[in-house]
């Protein structure tokens, strides 16, 4: 098999190694592609039955509420929570697939960043009563971009801030407006991230390996998606963190004229 390929690759010093590299690389690429296709198909296949489950449980919820017997079905709200978690996971998987295929779509609209931050913080506060979310400095500021995707950025950062702060109850969101840039910091006082892993957390499927984070569920997709959305909006995302003290994620966007 090799002689045929040797003729095709011109690397005078170490032809055999060069061939081995080419073979290895194309096999890896094919495997990557198959994995991406699988992820995309699996997430599409999971979406419909989950949507059906969500609809049926909410119908049941309404029916029991009408009959006045909702209190007798405590398992129902737990089921709804679990279904919502699964739907979010599948949506993240779909987003990752779309990013890989360059097909993540963005709307262009006027986004009031201050209002969006309050909206996201309020929604998160309702879901996570265990922590107190404090919003500071959110003064009027508009961007041009995709409101839902930008909301996804802050929802993700807040959700992580809460998830990785099992012992610390306060999470802060601070907005700062300068002449050309608007920045938002999401700060927690939780587990923190080892310095050498701070850059890697924005990679696809990367999760911090530390005994402190053992048992906290996740698949390492959130920050990868967040970083791509921020990049699309010509922004930057950085993290400053200390193990045992907490983490601050800073997202900065260039200010542009509102549409
Ligand atoms: P997930 O939380 O599902 O694992 P993410 O992509 O959102 O995936 O985060 C990647 C990793 O970065 C997490 O697994 C966690 O180890 C680390 N991380 C993210 N946010 C925080 C935070 N606020 N505090 C500590 N670690 C964090």
């Amino acid at each position: 098999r090799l002689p045929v390929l040797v003729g095709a690759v011109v690397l005078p010093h170490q032809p055999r190694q060069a061939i081995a590299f080419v073979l290895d690389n194309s096999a890896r690429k094919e495997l990557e592609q198959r994995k991406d296709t699988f992820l995309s198909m699996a997430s599409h296949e999971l979406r419909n039955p989950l949507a059906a489950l969500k609809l049926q449980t909410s119908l049941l919820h309404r029916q029991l509420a009408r009959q006045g017997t909702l209190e007798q079905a405590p398992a129902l709200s737990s089921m709804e929570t679990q279904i919502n978690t699964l739907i979010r996971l599948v949506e993240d998987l779909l987003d990752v697939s779309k990013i890989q295929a360059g097909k993540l779509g963005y709307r262009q609209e006027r986004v009031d960043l201050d209002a969006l931050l309050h909206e996201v913080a309020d929604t998160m506060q309702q879901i996570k009563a265990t922590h107190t979310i404090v919003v500071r400095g959110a003064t009027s500021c508009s961007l041009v971009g995709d409101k839902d995707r930008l909301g996804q950025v802050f929802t993700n950062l807040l959700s992580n801030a809460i998830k990785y702060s099992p012992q610390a109850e306060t999470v802060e969101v601070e907005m700062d407006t300068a002449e050309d840039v608007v920045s938002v910091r999401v700060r927690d006082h939780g587990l923190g991230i080892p310095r050498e892993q701070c850059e890697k957390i924005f990679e696809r499927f990367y999760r911090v390996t530390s005994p402190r984070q053992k048992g906290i569920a996740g698949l390492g997709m959130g920050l990868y998606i967040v970083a791509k959305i921020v990049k699309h909006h010509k922004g930057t995302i950085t993290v400053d963190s200390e193990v045992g003290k907490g983490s601050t994620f800073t997202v900065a966007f260039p200010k542009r004229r509102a549409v």
Side-chain angles (χ1 to χ4, degrees), residues 160 163-164 188 193 201 206-208 213 218-220 222-223 247:
N160 275 351
K163 184 163 80 165
Y164 295 103
D188 66 60
I193 303 160
I201 56 173
Y206 188 86
R207 304 204 71 222
V208 168
Q213 297 206 1
L219 289 176
L223 288 180
S247 311

Side-chain angles (χ1 to χ4, degrees), residues 113 117 153-154 157-158 161 172-177 181-188 193 198 201-202 223 226-227 230-231 234-241 247-253:
L113 194 60
L117 286 181
V153 166
F154 300 115
L157 292 178
L158 266 178
E172 290 128 41
V173 181
E174 285 165 9
M175 184 175 145
D176 245 332
T177 320
V181 180
V182 54
S183 51
V184 178
R185 281 186 296 277
V186 178
R187 175 177 297 130
D188 66 60
I193 303 160
C198 275
I201 56 173
F202 300 102
L223 288 180
V226 161
V230 170
K231 191 170 171 213
K234 308 220 171 351
T236 55
I237 180 162
T238 51
V239 59
D240 186 19
S241 187
S247 311
T248 303
F249 285 80
T250 305
V251 181
F253 296 108

Side-chain angles (χ1 to χ4, degrees), residues 18-45:
I19 297 305
F21 169 75
V22 169
L23 287 176
D24 183 42
N25 217 18
S26 67
R28 215 175 43 212
K29 261 192 191 153
E30 195 192 319
L31 208 66
E32 278 283 313
Q33 224 156 38
R34 241 187 278 170
K35 204 173 68 189
D36 288 345
T37 311
F38 171 78
L39 273 183
S40 162
M41 278 166 47
S43 36
H44 272 106
E45 290 297 321

